[in-house]
Amino acid sequence: MTNKEIPKDYDHKNEEKWQKKWEEDEIYKFIGDGTRPRYIIDTPPPYPTGLLHMGHILNWAYMDFNARYRREKGMDVLFPQGWDCHGLPTEVKVEETHNIKKNDVTRAEFRDMCTDLTSHNIEVMRGQMRSVGFSQDWSREYITMTPEYRKRTQLSFLKMYDQGLIYQGIHPVNWCPRCETAIAFAEVEYSDNTTFLNYVNFPPAEVPEEVLANVEGNSYVRYADFPDKADASVPGVLIATTRPELMSACVAVVVHPEDERYNSLLGKYVEVPLSGQKVKIIADEEVDMEYGTGAVMICTFGDKTDVAWVNKYDLDVIEAISEQGILTEAAGRYEGMELQPAKKQTIEDLKAEGYLTKQEEVDQNVGQCWRCKTPIEILVKKQWFVAVTKLIDESKKASNEMRWVPEHMESRLLNWADSMEWDWCISRQRLFATPIPVWYCKDCGKVILPDEDQLPIDPTIDQPKHACECGCTEFIPEEDVLDTWMDSSISPLSVADWPNPGWEEIFPSSIRPQGHDIIRTWAFYTTLRCLALTGQKPFDDIVINGMVFGEDGYKMSKSRGNVTGPEEVIAEYGADPLRLWAANSVPGSDVAFDWKNIKHGYKFIRKFWNAFRFISMHIFDEESEKALSGDVEAIKAHLNPMDTWIFAKLNKVNKIVDDAFYDYNYSIAVNTIEQFVWHDFCDEYIEAVKYRLYNDDISEESRIAAKYTLRTVVEDTLKLLAPIAPFFAEEVYQYFGNEGSIHNELWPEIDPNLDSSETEKDGDLAIELIGEVRRFKSASKIPLNANVANVNVYVSDKTQDLKDVFEYYSDDIKGTLKIEDFQILTGKPEVHEKVIEIEPDMSKIGPTFKKNAGQVIGFIKSTDPDEIAKQLEEKGEIAIADGVITEDFLKMKKEIVGASGKKVDILQSEKLGIIVEVVR
């Protein structure tokens, strides 16, 4: 191969060619035959939105770096791709796209719309992932909406139901009025808001004993049972509330037992303004006496605390809000109103009827639906639940057995587990999801489950195989579907092909890579579910990546307009600079996107390409290729000191990068490689080796050793870089005439004979000396390729050890700097200043000597500069023309002269502790 065949510039548009070839050759296919150690990646299945964003790029880049590295380390890597199709994101998008609600069309039609959208988006995102160079084994792709995956999810439901870990019950749940479905606590997002704290007087209510006799426990007295109205102007209990629209659902007032303001009122009743029910004042230590008025109304339900108090005191439940977020009949005069208008009207009515005493602004943390951002409500619904609380301790123990990167991220999971007060609500009132595999007997209501061989089923279409125990053969289908996390939380089991034979051999997964934003959902749910189904932890390592921020310092989002798409970067610079940007980050930490980083990565690739192109002129000619394919050990026997130095450097880089990849610290890996290529190899070694490539006086053995070193360093460095910049590494590697892909090569081995920290250290000293002289030539505007007559290096008693080092590297030092005579001496150079030119300073001579100035100027110009300098040195002045001149009257040009009498330049290297004498 000749240099003419290598383009002047690296063309990133070849990336598509390489990606296609990699897939055609199936170089990323998981074999699974046990001949190599297995490495299993539990890939996060994204929602098929149809567009990869920078967060995806960061997450999958981490996975791909790791997958490629593990393959180079000789492992059989299973890197699948999954798609989490079900749930609210897809349904909400379909509703927006078609301008409908889920119930506006038949169930089948709506599901078909969801399937079509999802299939299209998956195809688009597949192409995007390929364009970034991600190395998934596409033959192991899993899609949660397929019958195969639904079967797996439904089987996991049946097994956990049999264990008593899944149950159905009527409980308060988080409810999204917009999506009209229950959601889990982990799916509630919180945002800051400012609202009003409304101070409302609950007047005292005298309830007759005969009425109270019919009230059980702490239940409220309904207005219909006792319609006598209390006087709003009589002070009772002042309640500070941000949700006055829920007063119709108030069932009690609670105060702290040690609050002296209310001690005398405990056990008595107050009337709820507007709605008129009478509620009892009870005591509980959970009340914050410092907030508001220290008295709290218990509504069903305003928040989690209300739920806890209702359960604790067995209070009744008033359902004042419908599934659509509309106030019900229980809200009285506000029936049929939406929550926000009802809130506004309630406040106006409280003012008009004398109940509202004051308002003040207050900061609020509002729980919202994670998908549509609608404020969530708490409704009492019949739902299906996973008994999370039964597995908390086991889940925490399994978490402790995993390797968390970074380690501190584990606290997020543990804190979430410790805060779990409610079980996981897994039923959803939607359509596009895995159906809950349940029917109900029409006669006795018993839960009917399918046989395993029936799965997957849709109970709205399919029927049980057997009659109910009561003999009934008619069944009511469960129309609710499963939470999408029920699909994705068995991803490591799906990757392992559970429950098919052999799944145990690839479970648990080696690694779970994911973002820190879904630790409390995906990481927690996966740990819990895999423990329930297998008794084992789901993975060995869990590596957390951060979020991506825009150039404005805020998290990338369409609403902010600070989104940069990966396709923009790839079109202009290619995928590798984008991957280099992703690598230059730390696990667990958020990452800022900056075009400067992309351009820097592109510049690095071009630097490496230019270096390779220069090298190719010397290693790809027929003579060189023949020589380099010969006896390698014979070639290595003739390595120069500088050759052994660059190999020592390369070996050190190999170790650092190997450790960094193992620890998922890609920033250290990429920066170490870049520093080595850019500075040690390009700036130092290539410059130091040129004299051996061009100088005919150099022996053939030395020239071939230099070419061998250049070729080997480039090839090995490409292997180190390949996991991060796979396209560039492949492009360059193929010029070496290799038949296979670089991504089928093993990690470069370290030659123990060339692995020496002492060699590296000594070479660094020689490189520093070369650098000192090169910097001098540059500052003196001397061409770097210009010859230097003589360089003498003076060492002191303290730096005597440098003498041997510089003598060992003397040929490389001389050749690199083009020094004709190079000596290492002890002591200091014998130098002195010599005046070589003297000019009169007219600005001083004229005013001082006036009419005699010409005589003075004539003397200066006609007298030898050395003689003038000698007289000034002896006497400090020279008498002339009735006056004297001193050095102040002269412009003197001096130079330093060495022992040979020739002009020299003196360099002092503080870093090396030496003096360098240069004779030009």
Side-chain angles (χ1 to χ4, degrees):
M1 185 173 293
T2 67
N3 183 57
K4 292 181 180 178
E5 295 173 302
I6 299 175
K8 180 179 179 181
D9 295 315
Y10 173 69
D11 186 1
H12 68 264
K13 291 184 172 56
N14 286 336
E15 291 177 349
E16 187 174 348
K17 173 188 74 175
W18 294 122
Q19 184 64 34
K20 184 178 180 181
K21 181 168 177 54
W22 295 334
E23 289 191 34
E24 288 175 350
D25 295 346
E26 295 186 330
I27 67 171
Y28 305 130
K29 190 173 181 62
F30 175 69
I31 306 303
D33 59 3
T35 57
R36 289 179 291 160
R38 297 185 180 95
Y39 190 85
I40 315 302
I41 301 175
D42 177 22
T43 322
Y47 288 110
T49 60
L51 185 66
L52 286 181
H53 53 67
M54 284 300 180
H56 288 129
I57 299 302
L58 184 68
N59 196 192
W60 265 265
Y62 274 26
M63 284 181 265
D64 195 57
F65 300 155
N66 185 40
R68 292 179 180 277
Y69 163 71
R70 302 290 173 173
R71 292 189 193 103
E72 283 197 60
K73 297 299 285 187
M75 297 182 176
D76 188 11
V77 175
L78 175 51
F79 180 16
Q81 180 57 51
W83 303 99
D84 191 6
C85 310
H86 293 140
L88 291 177
T90 303
E91 293 198 26
V92 170
K93 188 65 177 177
V94 166
E95 290 175 329
E96 291 175 353
T97 302
H98 296 277
N99 194 28
I100 60 171
K101 283 295 193 75
K102 62 175 182 176
N103 296 324
D104 292 344
V105 294
T106 67
R107 295 171 70 94
E109 287 175 320
F110 189 78
R111 285 174 173 168
D112 286 345
M113 291 178 186
C114 292
T115 300
D116 290 344
L117 173 66
T118 302
S119 298
H120 169 75
N121 287 348
I122 286 175
E123 188 57 38
V124 172
M125 293 176 75
R126 282 193 193 111
Q128 292 173 318
M129 287 184 164
R130 290 182 172 104
S131 72
V132 189
F134 297 147
S135 61
Q136 296 98 326
D137 177 357
W138 289 100
S139 69
R140 303 292 291 235
E141 183 180 38
Y142 64 90
I143 303 174
T144 61
M145 67 180 181
T146 60
E148 180 184 11
Y149 202 100
R150 289 203 308 271
K151 175 181 179 180
R152 190 169 280 132
T153 300
Q154 289 183 336
L155 178 61
S156 71
F157 177 96
L158 298 182
K159 289 186 175 296
M160 291 181 69
Y161 182 87
D162 289 341
Q163 297 176 64
L165 294 174
I166 288 180
Y167 65 93
Q168 189 179 43
I170 300 175
H171 297 289
V173 295
N174 292 306
W175 187 271
C176 174
R178 158 63 182 80
C179 300
E180 296 183 33
T181 184
I183 62 174
F185 258 113
E187 296 170 317
V188 177
E189 293 182 349
Y190 292 89
S191 67
D192 294 331
N193 183 40
T194 300
T195 188
F196 283 101
L197 192 60
N198 302 279
Y199 289 79
V200 181
N201 178 42
F202 281 47
E206 295 294 335
V207 185
E209 288 297 328
E210 58 269 24
V211 175
L212 292 177
N214 295 320
V215 176
E216 296 182 5
N218 289 319
S219 292
Y220 67 99
V221 178
R222 294 169 178 81
Y223 179 69
D225 295 333
F226 186 61
D228 284 9
K229 189 172 179 62
D231 186 347
S233 64
V234 178
V237 174
L238 195 62
I239 300 290
T241 177
T242 59
R243 304 230 29 206
E245 72 276 15
L246 288 183
M247 289 197 298
S248 59
C250 179
V251 293
V253 168
V254 62
V255 299
H256 196 281
E258 297 178 5
D259 195 332
E260 297 179 355
R261 294 171 293 181
Y262 305 112
N263 283 349
S264 61
L265 300 178
L266 290 176
K268 295 184 179 181
Y269 284 77
V270 289
E271 183 176 287
V272 180
L274 306 181
S275 54
Q277 73 267 32
K278 282 67 176 176
V279 297
K280 192 175 183 179
I281 302 170
I282 58 180
D284 193 283
E285 293 181 349
E286 294 298 317
V287 175
D288 182 358
M289 290 188 288
E290 304 300 322
Y291 182 77
T293 64
V296 183
M297 65 173 183
I298 301 175
C299 296
T300 55
F301 292 96
D303 56 26
K304 286 173 61 177
T305 311
D306 286 337
V307 177
W309 279 329
V310 166
N311 291 334
K312 184 175 182 179
Y313 297 110
D314 194 25
L315 303 175
D316 284 351
V317 174
I318 301 175
E319 296 185 39
I321 304 174
S322 73
E323 294 179 356
Q324 295 77 30
I326 305 297
L327 289 173
T328 67
E329 182 183 1
R333 67 176 89 172
Y334 308 105
E335 180 183 359
M337 295 183 70
E338 294 183 357
L339 290 167
Q340 285 305 310
K343 182 175 189 175
K344 183 178 178 181
Q345 187 60 53
T346 300
I347 292 172
E348 291 179 2
D349 292 345
L350 289 170
K351 289 179 181 177
E353 298 183 27
Y355 292 104
L356 187 66
T357 63
K358 69 172 181 175
Q359 289 181 298
E360 60 184 31
E361 278 197 351
V362 64
D363 292 331
Q364 190 180 39
N365 204 230
V366 180
Q368 298 176 329
C369 172
W370 70 294
R371 179 50 53 181
C372 69
K373 311 308 178 189
T374 301
I376 59 103
E377 300 295 340
I378 298 178
L379 304 185
V380 176
K381 307 295 294 182
K382 188 175 185 179
Q383 301 288 332
W384 287 91
F385 298 87
V386 168
V388 169
T389 49
K390 291 185 178 181
L391 293 170
I392 290 294
D393 291 340
E394 291 180 54
S395 298
K396 290 165 63 178
K397 183 175 181 292
S399 174
N400 290 331
E401 294 172 356
M402 302 171 197
R403 177 191 177 205
W404 284 78
V405 181
E407 187 176 348
H408 71 267
M409 282 292 173
E410 183 184 13
S411 63
R412 297 196 182 191
L413 184 140
L414 299 178
N415 292 340
W416 176 250
D418 287 336
S419 70
M420 294 296 292
E421 298 174 0
W422 293 8
D423 284 333
W424 173 18
C425 177
I426 59 170
S427 48
R428 297 290 181 267
Q429 291 64 52
R430 301 298 301 186
L431 298 177
F432 185 56
T434 299
I436 296 177
V438 164
W439 299 272
Y440 305 97
C441 175
K442 190 172 183 180
D443 285 352
C444 70
K446 185 179 185 297
V447 171
I448 307 296
L449 301 176
D451 293 347
E452 288 187 13
D453 60 7
Q454 281 186 269
L455 302 177
I457 65 150
D458 182 345
T460 66
I461 299 173
D462 303 311
Q463 290 291 311
K465 279 187 174 182
H466 313 288
C468 179
E469 292 177 356
C470 72
C472 179
T473 57
E474 292 188 65
F475 306 96
I476 300 171
E478 172 62 82
E479 294 188 352
D480 285 356
V481 294
L482 288 170
D483 174 13
T484 186
W485 294 109
M486 284 290 285
D487 289 330
S488 61
S489 62
I490 57 167
S491 58
L493 290 171
S494 175
V495 169
D497 199 31
W498 174 87
N500 297 322
W503 70 270
E504 300 94 342
E505 295 180 6
I506 47 180
F507 182 88
S509 295
S510 307
I511 183 174
R512 153 65 66 84
Q514 67 166 74
H516 62 61
D517 57 325
I518 51 173
I519 289 176
R520 67 180 192 176
T521 47
W522 196 37
F524 178 72
Y525 290 154
T526 303
T527 302
L528 182 141
R529 295 248 283 141
C530 288
L531 280 172
L533 294 167
T534 71
Q536 300 181 64
K537 65 181 181 182
F539 24 79
D540 298 323
D541 292 2
I542 178 166
V543 180
I544 306 299
N545 65 275
M547 301 293 103
V548 177
F549 284 68
E551 292 183 280
D552 59 358
Y554 291 95
K555 182 179 176 181
M556 277 194 178
S557 68
K558 290 181 180 178
S559 60
R560 281 195 172 274
N562 65 347
V563 172
T564 301
E567 64 281 355
E568 297 178 54
V569 178
I570 293 171
E572 187 167 356
Y573 296 104
D576 282 338
L578 182 60
R579 295 169 62 100
L580 288 164
W581 160 79
N584 201 11
S585 59
V586 179
S589 298
D590 293 331
V591 183
F593 176 82
D594 193 328
W595 279 103
K596 288 188 295 185
N597 300 132
I598 300 294
K599 293 173 183 176
H600 178 82
Y602 183 64
K603 186 177 179 182
F604 166 66
I605 285 175
R606 290 176 62 195
K607 176 80 172 180
F608 201 164
W609 177 265
N610 291 337
F612 157 69
R613 192 166 178 272
F614 165 77
I615 292 166
S616 69
M617 294 188 293
H618 303 281
I619 65 175
F620 288 151
D621 58 273
E622 186 175 343
E623 182 182 1
S624 297
E625 290 195 333
K626 181 179 179 181
L628 293 174
S629 63
D631 186 347
V632 172
E633 292 304 317
I635 295 174
K636 290 163 71 173
H638 292 89
L639 293 177
N640 265 37
M642 201 60 75
D643 301 334
T644 61
W645 168 76
I646 197 65
F647 275 121
K649 279 286 186 184
L650 176 63
N651 289 337
K652 182 178 180 181
V653 168
N654 187 324
K655 295 173 187 175
I656 293 172
V657 173
D658 196 2
D659 289 343
F661 271 118
Y662 179 79
D663 291 331
Y664 314 106
N665 201 328
Y666 306 118
S667 177
I668 288 178
V670 71
N671 284 306
T672 301
I673 295 171
E674 183 178 309
Q675 176 73 21
F676 172 75
V677 171
W678 203 305
H679 300 292
D680 296 328
F681 187 57
C682 293
D683 292 349
E684 306 297 351
Y685 179 74
I686 290 179
E687 292 302 318
V689 83
K690 283 180 179 178
Y691 80 96
R692 293 161 63 194
L693 301 174
Y694 293 113
N695 192 340
D696 292 338
D697 295 336
I698 298 298
S699 69
E700 185 64 20
E701 291 86 359
S702 177
R703 195 184 320 280
I704 292 301
K707 293 181 178 183
Y708 166 80
T709 303
L710 288 167
R711 177 171 184 146
T712 305
V713 171
V714 169
E715 284 193 280
D716 283 3
T717 305
L718 287 172
K719 292 174 185 176
L720 302 183
L721 184 63
I724 295 174
F727 294 110
F728 174 81
E730 187 74 279
E731 179 86 10
V732 175
Y733 188 72
Q734 291 305 315
Y735 280 105
F736 286 85
N738 298 296
E739 293 183 2
S741 168
I742 191 173
H743 302 297
N744 280 335
E745 295 293 324
L746 293 177
W747 194 260
E749 294 184 3
I750 293 175
D751 184 342
N753 296 320
L754 297 172
D755 184 26
S756 168
S757 58
E758 185 176 350
T759 297
E760 181 201 353
K761 178 184 174 183
D762 288 349
D764 286 346
L765 295 171
I767 288 293
E768 178 62 26
L769 173 58
I770 291 171
E772 290 279 8
V773 179
R774 290 180 69 190
R775 286 189 289 274
F776 156 74
K777 292 177 81 174
S778 178
S780 303
K781 294 184 170 46
I782 301 172
L784 294 179
N785 61 353
N787 287 342
V788 177
N790 179 260
V791 172
N792 298 318
V793 174
Y794 290 85
V795 299
S796 65
D797 292 340
K798 293 181 179 180
T799 56
Q800 272 293 321
D801 54 337
L802 292 178
K803 188 171 184 178
D804 292 339
V805 173
F806 293 151
E807 286 177 349
Y808 181 68
Y809 282 90
S810 61
D811 286 344
D812 285 317
I813 294 171
K814 288 173 61 178
T816 303
L817 296 171
K818 298 190 178 302
I819 300 171
E820 296 173 10
D821 184 25
F822 177 66
Q823 297 184 63
I824 302 101
L825 307 169
T826 302
K828 294 182 180 180
E830 297 179 12
V831 295
H832 64 274
E833 281 190 334
K834 179 180 180 181
V835 177
I836 59 173
E837 184 180 318
I838 295 178
E839 290 289 333
D841 188 343
M842 301 301 298
S843 65
K844 293 183 178 178
I845 291 175
T848 303
F849 289 90
K850 298 177 182 177
K851 62 180 180 178
N852 295 326
Q855 181 181 351
V856 174
I857 293 169
F859 168 76
I860 294 172
K861 291 197 169 187
S862 61
T863 307
D864 188 323
D866 262 347
E867 181 61 30
I868 294 174
K870 183 178 180 182
Q871 291 186 42
L872 288 173
E873 186 177 355
E874 292 176 353
K875 301 178 180 179
E877 61 184 24
I878 299 174
I880 186 172
D882 298 328
V884 295
I885 58 172
T886 63
E887 194 170 329
D888 294 338
F889 289 82
L890 307 173
K891 295 178 179 179
M892 304 177 71
K893 186 176 180 180
K894 303 176 182 179
E895 64 180 21
I896 299 175
V897 177
S900 64
K902 296 180 180 179
K903 174 189 172 183
V904 299
D905 291 283
I906 300 297
L907 318 177
Q908 285 192 312
S909 173
E910 293 183 7
K911 189 170 183 179
L912 293 172
I914 60 173
I915 298 173
V916 181
E917 181 183 46
V918 180
V919 181
R920 305 193 195 185

